[in-house]
Amino acid sequence: MSAGQEHGAPRSVLPYPPIHKDAKFVVLSDWDGTITDKDSNDWLTDKLGFGFEKRRALNLECLAGNISFRDSFRQMLESVHHPFEECKEELKKNIKLDPGFVAFYTWCKEQNIPFVIVSSGMAPNIRGVLSTLLPGPDAENIEIIANEVKFTDPEETGKTWEIVYRHPDSGFGHDKSQAILPYRDLEHKPTLFFCGDGVSDLSAARHADVLFAKVMANGHSDLKTFCEREKIPHVPFGDFNKVLERVKEVVEGGKSVEQVLKEEGN
């Protein structure tokens, strides 16, 4: 079982928001490198931690199943010796949204389709970046299921800090499948869309009806690589304009999930 995969529902130390029981469609999405133009935790590690080469080597070890995502991610964050607020401010200055995201999120709101961010990052960083990039109250209102942060300095100001994993016993740290699987138990079986890009999304990859795998401009995508290797049907996308097009076809155009996946070569 690769990249931290394990059996059984892991213990969660953080609360979950209520699921959207009456929704016909639900969109769940990774944050870093999917909704954003770059991965904020990779950016912190590369710029303020032990650097790109060691970080990328850990990514590849994780993808190969030689180390869990939880343990590799902790190593990356522990290499960042800067106060938490300083890290958050740097992210607010350097992380931007995918060019199609606001239009897609706005359309979901207009259609009353729940949109949930499911992230292996830390919720305060996500809210911080969103506060500079999303209009109006959306930055505070958008639903986020993520990890948290604990300030470990005596004054608890964040001079030193550590990640609080949602599922500390899971090799994923945050097993994203646990945000999806409750919808599978609903009687009316909503159509589930999931967007992701990397190794933190592997736990969710098999559980959506339509899985969108983000591909960078250079053609790179750890999630797409994993899906091809494991023969998991997926829709590659460069930005959320493609996601909007395909989701609209199912929601408004009457296309079946099977049609969309077949047209994408699955």
Side-chain angles (χ1 to χ4, degrees), residues 11 13 27 72 93 114 133 141 195 202 218 227 242 247 259:
R11 170 181 67 99
V13 300
V27 179
S72 64
K93 287 188 285 188
L133 298 172
N141 293 338
C195 307
L202 304 188
N218 63 5
C227 289
K242 170 76 173 283
V247 174
Q259 274 181 287

Side-chain angles (χ1 to χ4, degrees), residues 154-194:
E155 301 78 21
E156 296 186 356
T157 60
K159 185 177 179 182
T160 59
W161 52 275
E162 63 185 29
I163 190 170
V164 177
Y165 281 120
R166 179 169 286 274
H167 302 123
D169 303 326
S170 164
F172 293 109
H174 176 192
D175 183 340
K176 295 183 179 183
S177 69
Q178 299 305 305
I180 299 177
L181 290 173
Y183 288 98
R184 292 296 181 212
D185 296 330
L186 295 177
E187 191 174 338
H188 71 282
K189 299 289 184 289
T191 300
L192 304 176
F193 303 95
F194 185 87

Side-chain angles (χ1 to χ4, degrees), residues 7-22:
H7 295 298
R11 170 181 67 99
S12 178
V13 300
L14 298 171
Y16 276 89
I19 64 170
H20 300 275
K21 290 185 176 180
D22 299 322

Side-chain angles (χ1 to χ4, degrees), residues 2 202 205-206 222-230 232:
S2 64
L202 304 188
R206 300 179 191 276
D222 283 344
L223 181 58
K224 184 171 181 286
T225 299
F226 177 79
C227 289
E228 289 170 348
R229 187 179 78 201
E230 300 294 322
I232 298 171

Side-chain angles (χ1 to χ4, degrees), residues 6-243:
E6 53 206 31
H7 295 298
R11 170 181 67 99
S12 178
V13 300
L14 298 171
Y16 276 89
I19 64 170
H20 300 275
K21 290 185 176 180
D22 299 322
K24 187 176 179 183
F25 304 96
V26 180
V27 179
L28 307 102
S29 178
D30 170 58
W31 167 251
D32 281 298
T34 302
I35 293 173
T36 61
D37 66 340
K38 56 181 80 73
D39 186 303
S40 60
N41 302 296
D42 287 354
W43 190 93
L44 285 177
T45 305
D46 293 354
K47 304 295 184 184
L48 303 179
F50 53 42
F52 169 80
E53 289 188 7
K54 189 167 183 181
R55 190 266 298 169
R56 187 60 190 146
L58 275 173
N59 289 156
L60 294 173
E61 286 291 292
C62 184
L63 196 60
N66 297 328
I67 185 173
S68 71
F69 177 83
R70 175 196 62 201
D71 295 344
S72 64
F73 193 39
R74 183 179 283 121
Q75 285 185 44
M76 293 175 197
L77 296 179
E78 285 177 348
S79 77
V80 179
H81 303 295
H82 291 258
F84 187 77
E85 286 302 315
E86 181 185 320
C87 293
K88 187 163 72 173
E89 289 304 312
E90 286 298 309
L91 294 178
K92 286 164 71 172
K93 287 188 285 188
N94 288 282
I95 303 298
K96 304 302 177 190
L97 294 180
D98 174 285
F101 176 71
V102 172
F104 178 70
Y105 177 66
T106 301
W107 178 82
C108 286
K109 282 203 306 176
E110 290 169 350
Q111 300 292 321
N112 292 315
I113 295 174
F115 183 94
V116 185
I117 293 174
V118 185
S119 172
S120 289
M122 293 163 282
N125 279 342
I126 298 170
R127 293 265 183 225
V129 173
L130 281 172
S131 71
T132 69
L133 298 172
L134 263 191
D138 288 338
E140 283 302 316
N141 293 338
I142 196 168
E143 207 166 292
I144 297 173
I145 301 173
N147 295 311
E148 277 293 342
V149 64
K150 177 184 178 183
F151 294 166
T152 54
D153 55 307
E155 301 78 21
E156 296 186 356
T157 60
K159 185 177 179 182
T160 59
W161 52 275
E162 63 185 29
I163 190 170
V164 177
Y165 281 120
R166 179 169 286 274
H167 302 123
D169 303 326
S170 164
F172 293 109
H174 176 192
D175 183 340
K176 295 183 179 183
S177 69
Q178 299 305 305
I180 299 177
L181 290 173
Y183 288 98
R184 292 296 181 212
D185 296 330
L186 295 177
E187 191 174 338
H188 71 282
K189 299 289 184 289
T191 300
L192 304 176
F193 303 95
F194 185 87
C195 307
D197 78 312
V199 291
S200 73
D201 301 309
L202 304 188
S203 61
R206 300 179 191 276
H207 300 296
D209 293 298
V210 182
L211 172 67
F212 291 92
K214 182 80 173 274
V215 181
M216 304 303 281
N218 63 5
H220 172 75
S221 171
D222 283 344
L223 181 58
K224 184 171 181 286
T225 299
F226 177 79
C227 289
E228 289 170 348
R229 187 179 78 201
E230 300 294 322
K231 296 182 170 53
I232 298 171
H234 62 285
V235 177
F237 74 103
D239 62 45
F240 269 85
N241 292 309
K242 170 76 173 283
V243 180

